[in-house]
Short mmCIF file of all heavy atoms in Angstrom, two decimals:
data_model
loop_
_atom_site.label_atom_id
_atom_site.label_comp_id
_atom_site.label_asym_id
_atom_site.label_seq_id
_atom_site.Cartn_x
_atom_site.Cartn_y
_atom_site.Cartn_z
N SER A 169 -1.71 -14.09 9.30
CA SER A 169 -1.19 -15.36 8.79
C SER A 169 -1.37 -15.52 7.29
O SER A 169 -0.78 -16.41 6.68
CB SER A 169 -1.87 -16.54 9.50
OG SER A 169 -1.42 -16.66 10.83
N SER A 170 -2.17 -14.67 6.67
CA SER A 170 -2.47 -14.82 5.25
C SER A 170 -1.30 -14.37 4.38
O SER A 170 -0.48 -13.54 4.77
CB SER A 170 -3.71 -13.98 4.90
OG SER A 170 -3.86 -13.85 3.51
N ASN A 171 -1.23 -14.95 3.16
CA ASN A 171 -0.24 -14.52 2.16
C ASN A 171 -0.82 -13.53 1.16
O ASN A 171 -0.24 -13.30 0.10
CB ASN A 171 0.30 -15.74 1.40
CG ASN A 171 1.11 -16.65 2.29
OD1 ASN A 171 1.79 -16.20 3.21
ND2 ASN A 171 1.05 -17.94 2.03
N ASP A 172 -1.95 -12.93 1.47
CA ASP A 172 -2.60 -11.97 0.58
C ASP A 172 -1.88 -10.63 0.70
O ASP A 172 -2.43 -9.63 1.18
CB ASP A 172 -4.09 -11.85 0.96
CG ASP A 172 -4.87 -10.92 0.06
OD1 ASP A 172 -4.42 -10.68 -1.08
OD2 ASP A 172 -5.93 -10.42 0.50
N TYR A 173 -0.63 -10.59 0.23
CA TYR A 173 0.26 -9.48 0.52
C TYR A 173 -0.25 -8.12 0.04
O TYR A 173 -0.07 -7.11 0.71
CB TYR A 173 1.64 -9.74 -0.09
CG TYR A 173 2.33 -10.96 0.48
CD1 TYR A 173 2.87 -11.94 -0.35
CD2 TYR A 173 2.44 -11.14 1.86
CE1 TYR A 173 3.49 -13.06 0.17
CE2 TYR A 173 3.06 -12.26 2.39
CZ TYR A 173 3.58 -13.22 1.54
OH TYR A 173 4.19 -14.33 2.06
N LEU A 174 -0.87 -8.07 -1.12
CA LEU A 174 -1.33 -6.80 -1.67
C LEU A 174 -2.81 -6.53 -1.38
O LEU A 174 -3.36 -5.52 -1.82
CB LEU A 174 -1.08 -6.74 -3.18
CG LEU A 174 0.38 -6.79 -3.61
CD1 LEU A 174 0.50 -6.64 -5.12
CD2 LEU A 174 1.21 -5.72 -2.90
N GLY A 175 -3.45 -7.44 -0.67
CA GLY A 175 -4.86 -7.24 -0.35
C GLY A 175 -5.78 -7.33 -1.54
O GLY A 175 -6.82 -6.67 -1.60
N LEU A 176 -5.42 -8.18 -2.51
CA LEU A 176 -6.20 -8.29 -3.74
C LEU A 176 -7.22 -9.43 -3.72
O LEU A 176 -8.03 -9.54 -4.64
CB LEU A 176 -5.27 -8.50 -4.94
CG LEU A 176 -4.37 -7.33 -5.33
CD1 LEU A 176 -3.46 -7.72 -6.49
CD2 LEU A 176 -5.21 -6.10 -5.70
N ALA A 177 -7.20 -10.27 -2.71
CA ALA A 177 -8.03 -11.48 -2.72
C ALA A 177 -9.52 -11.17 -2.82
O ALA A 177 -10.29 -12.00 -3.31
CB ALA A 177 -7.76 -12.32 -1.48
N ARG A 178 -9.93 -9.98 -2.37
CA ARG A 178 -11.35 -9.63 -2.44
C ARG A 178 -11.57 -8.41 -3.34
O ARG A 178 -12.58 -7.71 -3.21
CB ARG A 178 -11.90 -9.37 -1.04
CG ARG A 178 -12.13 -10.65 -0.26
CD ARG A 178 -12.78 -10.38 1.07
NE ARG A 178 -11.82 -9.85 2.04
CZ ARG A 178 -12.15 -9.09 3.08
NH1 ARG A 178 -13.40 -8.75 3.27
NH2 ARG A 178 -11.23 -8.67 3.91
N HIS A 179 -10.65 -8.15 -4.25
CA HIS A 179 -10.79 -6.99 -5.12
C HIS A 179 -12.00 -7.20 -6.04
O HIS A 179 -12.11 -8.22 -6.71
CB HIS A 179 -9.52 -6.80 -5.96
CG HIS A 179 -9.41 -5.44 -6.55
ND1 HIS A 179 -10.22 -5.01 -7.58
CD2 HIS A 179 -8.58 -4.40 -6.26
CE1 HIS A 179 -9.91 -3.78 -7.91
NE2 HIS A 179 -8.92 -3.37 -7.12
N PRO A 180 -12.92 -6.24 -6.10
CA PRO A 180 -14.14 -6.43 -6.89
C PRO A 180 -13.89 -6.63 -8.38
O PRO A 180 -14.64 -7.35 -9.04
CB PRO A 180 -14.94 -5.15 -6.63
CG PRO A 180 -13.95 -4.16 -6.09
CD PRO A 180 -12.92 -4.96 -5.37
N ALA A 181 -12.84 -6.02 -8.93
CA ALA A 181 -12.57 -6.18 -10.36
C ALA A 181 -12.16 -7.62 -10.68
O ALA A 181 -12.53 -8.17 -11.72
CB ALA A 181 -11.47 -5.21 -10.81
N ILE A 182 -11.41 -8.25 -9.77
CA ILE A 182 -11.01 -9.64 -9.97
C ILE A 182 -12.23 -10.55 -9.85
O ILE A 182 -12.44 -11.45 -10.68
CB ILE A 182 -9.92 -10.04 -8.95
CG1 ILE A 182 -8.65 -9.22 -9.17
CG2 ILE A 182 -9.61 -11.53 -9.04
CD1 ILE A 182 -7.58 -9.44 -8.13
N ALA A 183 -13.03 -10.33 -8.83
CA ALA A 183 -14.23 -11.15 -8.64
C ALA A 183 -15.19 -11.01 -9.82
O ALA A 183 -15.78 -12.00 -10.29
CB ALA A 183 -14.93 -10.74 -7.34
N ASP A 184 -15.32 -9.79 -10.35
CA ASP A 184 -16.21 -9.57 -11.49
C ASP A 184 -15.69 -10.28 -12.74
O ASP A 184 -16.47 -10.89 -13.48
CB ASP A 184 -16.34 -8.07 -11.75
CG ASP A 184 -17.34 -7.76 -12.86
OD1 ASP A 184 -18.50 -8.15 -12.73
OD2 ASP A 184 -16.93 -7.14 -13.86
N ALA A 185 -14.38 -10.20 -12.98
CA ALA A 185 -13.80 -10.88 -14.14
C ALA A 185 -14.02 -12.39 -14.05
O ALA A 185 -14.34 -13.04 -15.05
CB ALA A 185 -12.31 -10.56 -14.23
N MET A 186 -13.87 -12.94 -12.85
CA MET A 186 -14.07 -14.38 -12.67
C MET A 186 -15.53 -14.76 -12.87
O MET A 186 -15.85 -15.79 -13.48
CB MET A 186 -13.58 -14.80 -11.28
CG MET A 186 -12.08 -14.63 -11.09
SD MET A 186 -11.49 -15.15 -9.45
CE MET A 186 -11.59 -16.93 -9.62
N ALA A 187 -16.44 -13.92 -12.37
CA ALA A 187 -17.87 -14.22 -12.51
C ALA A 187 -18.30 -14.20 -13.97
O ALA A 187 -19.05 -15.08 -14.43
CB ALA A 187 -18.68 -13.20 -11.70
N GLN A 188 -17.81 -13.21 -14.72
CA GLN A 188 -18.16 -13.13 -16.14
C GLN A 188 -17.63 -14.34 -16.90
O GLN A 188 -18.32 -14.90 -17.77
CB GLN A 188 -17.61 -11.84 -16.73
CG GLN A 188 -18.30 -10.58 -16.24
CD GLN A 188 -17.83 -9.33 -16.97
OE1 GLN A 188 -17.65 -9.34 -18.18
NE2 GLN A 188 -17.61 -8.26 -16.21
N ALA A 189 -16.38 -14.74 -16.60
CA ALA A 189 -15.80 -15.89 -17.29
C ALA A 189 -16.53 -17.18 -16.92
O ALA A 189 -16.68 -18.07 -17.76
CB ALA A 189 -14.31 -16.01 -16.93
N LEU A 190 -16.99 -17.26 -15.70
CA LEU A 190 -17.72 -18.45 -15.26
C LEU A 190 -19.01 -18.61 -16.07
O LEU A 190 -19.35 -19.71 -16.52
CB LEU A 190 -18.03 -18.34 -13.78
CG LEU A 190 -18.67 -19.55 -13.10
CD1 LEU A 190 -17.72 -20.74 -13.13
CD2 LEU A 190 -19.04 -19.22 -11.66
N LEU A 191 -19.69 -17.51 -16.29
CA LEU A 191 -20.93 -17.56 -17.07
C LEU A 191 -20.67 -17.81 -18.55
O LEU A 191 -21.42 -18.51 -19.22
CB LEU A 191 -21.71 -16.25 -16.88
CG LEU A 191 -22.26 -16.00 -15.48
CD1 LEU A 191 -22.87 -14.61 -15.39
CD2 LEU A 191 -23.29 -17.05 -15.10
N ALA A 192 -19.57 -17.25 -19.05
CA ALA A 192 -19.28 -17.37 -20.48
C ALA A 192 -18.62 -18.69 -20.85
O ALA A 192 -18.91 -19.27 -21.91
CB ALA A 192 -18.39 -16.20 -20.91
N GLU A 193 -17.73 -19.18 -19.98
CA GLU A 193 -16.90 -20.35 -20.33
C GLU A 193 -17.29 -21.62 -19.59
O GLU A 193 -16.83 -22.70 -19.94
CB GLU A 193 -15.42 -20.04 -20.04
CG GLU A 193 -14.84 -18.87 -20.83
CD GLU A 193 -14.51 -19.27 -22.26
OE1 GLU A 193 -14.57 -20.48 -22.57
OE2 GLU A 193 -14.20 -18.37 -23.06
N GLY A 194 -18.11 -21.50 -18.53
CA GLY A 194 -18.47 -22.67 -17.75
C GLY A 194 -17.53 -22.88 -16.57
O GLY A 194 -16.58 -22.14 -16.36
N ALA A 195 -17.82 -23.93 -15.80
CA ALA A 195 -17.11 -24.15 -14.54
C ALA A 195 -15.70 -24.71 -14.72
O ALA A 195 -14.80 -24.40 -13.95
CB ALA A 195 -17.91 -25.08 -13.64
N GLY A 196 -15.50 -25.56 -15.73
CA GLY A 196 -14.21 -26.21 -15.89
C GLY A 196 -13.73 -26.19 -17.32
O GLY A 196 -14.49 -25.94 -18.26
N SER A 197 -12.44 -26.50 -17.50
CA SER A 197 -11.87 -26.52 -18.84
C SER A 197 -12.15 -27.83 -19.56
O SER A 197 -12.09 -27.92 -20.78
CB SER A 197 -10.36 -26.29 -18.76
OG SER A 197 -9.75 -27.31 -17.98
N GLY A 198 -12.39 -28.90 -18.80
CA GLY A 198 -12.81 -30.16 -19.40
C GLY A 198 -11.72 -31.11 -19.82
O GLY A 198 -12.00 -32.27 -20.11
N ALA A 199 -10.48 -30.65 -19.88
CA ALA A 199 -9.39 -31.53 -20.34
C ALA A 199 -8.06 -30.86 -20.06
O ALA A 199 -8.00 -29.68 -19.69
CB ALA A 199 -9.52 -31.82 -21.83
N SER A 200 -6.99 -31.60 -20.26
CA SER A 200 -5.66 -31.00 -20.17
C SER A 200 -5.45 -30.08 -21.36
O SER A 200 -6.17 -30.15 -22.37
CB SER A 200 -4.57 -32.08 -20.16
OG SER A 200 -4.42 -32.63 -21.45
N ARG A 201 -4.45 -29.23 -21.26
CA ARG A 201 -4.21 -28.26 -22.34
C ARG A 201 -3.74 -28.93 -23.62
O ARG A 201 -3.89 -28.37 -24.71
CB ARG A 201 -3.23 -27.19 -21.87
CG ARG A 201 -3.81 -26.31 -20.78
CD ARG A 201 -2.86 -25.22 -20.37
NE ARG A 201 -2.66 -24.26 -21.46
CZ ARG A 201 -1.83 -23.23 -21.39
NH1 ARG A 201 -1.12 -23.04 -20.29
NH2 ARG A 201 -1.70 -22.40 -22.42
N LEU A 202 -3.17 -30.10 -23.50
CA LEU A 202 -2.70 -30.81 -24.70
C LEU A 202 -3.82 -31.60 -25.37
O LEU A 202 -3.61 -32.16 -26.44
CB LEU A 202 -1.54 -31.75 -24.34
CG LEU A 202 -0.23 -31.04 -24.00
CD1 LEU A 202 0.78 -32.02 -23.46
CD2 LEU A 202 0.32 -30.32 -25.22
N ILE A 203 -4.98 -31.64 -24.74
CA ILE A 203 -6.14 -32.31 -25.36
C ILE A 203 -7.06 -31.24 -25.94
O ILE A 203 -6.82 -30.73 -27.03
CB ILE A 203 -6.86 -33.21 -24.33
CG1 ILE A 203 -5.85 -34.18 -23.69
CG2 ILE A 203 -7.97 -34.02 -25.00
CD1 ILE A 203 -5.16 -35.13 -24.65
N THR A 204 -8.09 -30.83 -25.21
CA THR A 204 -8.97 -29.77 -25.70
C THR A 204 -9.17 -28.66 -24.67
O THR A 204 -10.06 -27.83 -24.82
CB THR A 204 -10.35 -30.34 -26.08
OG1 THR A 204 -10.93 -30.95 -24.91
CG2 THR A 204 -10.25 -31.34 -27.20
N GLY A 205 -8.33 -28.65 -23.62
CA GLY A 205 -8.52 -27.68 -22.54
C GLY A 205 -7.79 -26.36 -22.72
O GLY A 205 -7.84 -25.50 -21.84
N ASN A 206 -7.12 -26.17 -23.86
CA ASN A 206 -6.33 -24.95 -24.06
C ASN A 206 -7.19 -23.86 -24.69
O ASN A 206 -7.27 -23.75 -25.90
CB ASN A 206 -5.11 -25.26 -24.93
CG ASN A 206 -4.12 -24.11 -24.95
OD1 ASN A 206 -3.93 -23.44 -23.93
ND2 ASN A 206 -3.51 -23.88 -26.09
N ARG A 207 -7.82 -23.05 -23.85
CA ARG A 207 -8.71 -22.00 -24.34
C ARG A 207 -7.91 -20.75 -24.71
O ARG A 207 -6.81 -20.53 -24.19
CB ARG A 207 -9.74 -21.65 -23.26
CG ARG A 207 -10.45 -22.84 -22.65
CD ARG A 207 -11.43 -23.48 -23.62
NE ARG A 207 -12.06 -24.65 -23.02
CZ ARG A 207 -13.10 -24.59 -22.18
NH1 ARG A 207 -13.59 -23.43 -21.81
NH2 ARG A 207 -13.62 -25.71 -21.69
#
């Protein structure tokens, strides 16, 4: 039933990239992109 067509949802490279960004950038962007959220 899943739409994970290429089987990438648990790819370790994607998870690692997200984990690194979480530590470096924080949990949220804090605003809309037209305010201060456009990183």
